[in-house]
Amino acid sequence: MRGKPNIALRILAVAGIVVVAYAIILCISASHLLGTVESLSAKATTCQQQMDEGNITEAVTSLRNMAKDCESLKSEADMPQWQIASVLPVIGDDVRCARGLATIGDSLSNDALIPVLKEADDLGILDQENIDALNGLIGSVGQDVTGTGNGTGSSSDAQKLNDSLTLIGTLVTMFTEKSADVDELMASLTKARTVLDECRHIADTLPESHFEQLKKAASQVKTFLDDADDTLDGIEAFIAEVNSGISSLFSGVSAAPAA
């Protein structure tokens, strides 16, 4: 009769060791996971600033680094300890939140922003000088480009005329010789919009996390999605304005600014 209680105690002892070991593994993994989330948040902030400042090459690099963090986050959240935790009360929400953030970051970087930004930058669409020059050129359509009305403008007026002709040549080239690249960009924009909508749906359905790092990241990702939306709007507006501007330049009728 004494053997049975000893067996039961041994089973309980082994079970206790397993639980303690699992808790330790989970805590260590949680530290790695939350550290990756903090790194992802920092890179997202940097990327937002770079896009706002027009530093597209640096923004693309940041997006690639974000995608790497998302891959690490997903790999961590898919490990066995988190597979178990995902079905547990309370902490299961944290696991699902982390996985959702990883999915959003990876899709937004690799499937939406990186292709669009690279293609737009190659075409010069994200060059603020081109945007400002185009706006000024369209606004001056129908006016005397020499500024005097008698064809004897100043050297600065002549420079403006030269700059305008250079810009016209660039834009015409963009939509003739590089028309295939423009079509590719438009296809990437269409895909990016779909990806953005999918990411926004995931963001809106993320469960409430119990960790501050995940809470901050979940809030930040919604702002980042809005900024990405604005970036896509700006590229589409520039393309529309170029189309309208070229037509107006050759017709002599001033085009209405793109929304």
Side-chain angles (χ1 to χ4, degrees):
M1 296 294 292
R2 291 181 180 178
K4 292 183 178 179
N6 287 339
I7 293 174
L9 287 174
R10 289 175 183 174
I11 292 174
L12 288 174
V14 171
I17 293 172
V18 170
V19 170
V20 171
Y22 173 74
I24 292 173
I25 292 172
L26 194 62
C27 286
I28 294 173
S29 182
S31 177
H32 292 162
L33 186 148
L34 295 176
T36 302
V37 170
E38 288 184 335
S39 173
L40 181 60
S41 293
K43 288 169 185 172
T45 299
T46 299
C47 185
Q48 284 174 299
Q49 293 173 346
Q50 290 166 339
M51 287 195 294
D52 290 342
E53 295 168 359
N55 299 325
I56 304 307
T57 301
E58 294 177 7
V60 169
T61 299
S62 293
L63 285 167
R64 287 188 175 132
N65 290 331
M66 286 170 58
K68 290 178 182 177
D69 276 351
C70 290
E71 184 178 346
S72 298
L73 182 60
K74 188 176 185 301
S75 296
E76 190 76 40
D78 284 342
M79 293 183 72
Q81 63 267 27
W82 293 110
Q83 296 285 359
I84 296 171
S86 65
V87 299
L88 298 177
V90 183
I91 198 171
D93 287 343
D94 301 308
V95 179
R96 288 186 287 276
C97 182
R99 287 175 176 167
L101 289 172
T103 298
I104 292 171
D106 180 66
S107 296
L108 190 60
S109 297
N110 289 323
D111 300 331
L113 290 179
I114 289 178
V116 168
L117 291 178
K118 280 181 60 63
E119 292 166 15
D121 193 37
D122 289 343
L123 285 167
I125 287 177
L126 299 178
D127 188 333
Q128 188 60 46
E129 290 184 3
N130 280 349
I131 295 172
D132 293 341
L134 176 64
N135 289 334
L137 183 59
I138 292 173
S140 67
V141 172
Q143 299 178 8
D144 182 0
V145 293
T146 66
T148 63
N150 57 13
T152 58
S154 66
S155 59
S156 62
D157 291 326
Q159 184 60 48
K160 289 179 182 178
L161 176 59
N162 183 65
D163 292 343
S164 297
L165 292 174
T166 299
L167 179 61
I168 292 173
T170 300
L171 297 178
V172 170
T173 298
M174 183 187 301
F175 283 83
T176 53
E177 296 177 14
K178 295 185 177 181
S179 60
D181 294 332
V182 175
D183 291 341
E184 185 176 348
L185 172 58
M186 294 304 295
S188 295
L189 281 166
T190 299
K191 180 181 179 181
R193 288 294 187 190
T194 300
V195 171
L196 203 62
D197 288 342
E198 293 170 351
C199 288
R200 199 178 297 281
H201 174 72
I202 296 172
D204 289 341
T205 57
L206 285 175
E208 180 76 16
S209 175
H210 304 88
F211 294 97
E212 285 302 319
Q213 295 94 328
L214 287 172
K215 285 182 179 179
K216 177 183 175 182
S219 174
Q220 184 182 26
V221 76
K222 295 180 180 179
T223 301
F224 195 83
L225 287 170
D226 288 339
D227 288 348
D229 203 21
D230 290 341
T231 297
L232 298 184
D233 284 344
I235 294 172
E236 290 173 343
F238 182 77
I239 293 174
E241 192 163 353
V242 168
N243 277 322
S244 177
I246 289 177
S247 297
S248 70
L249 288 171
F250 286 105
S251 67
V253 178
S254 181

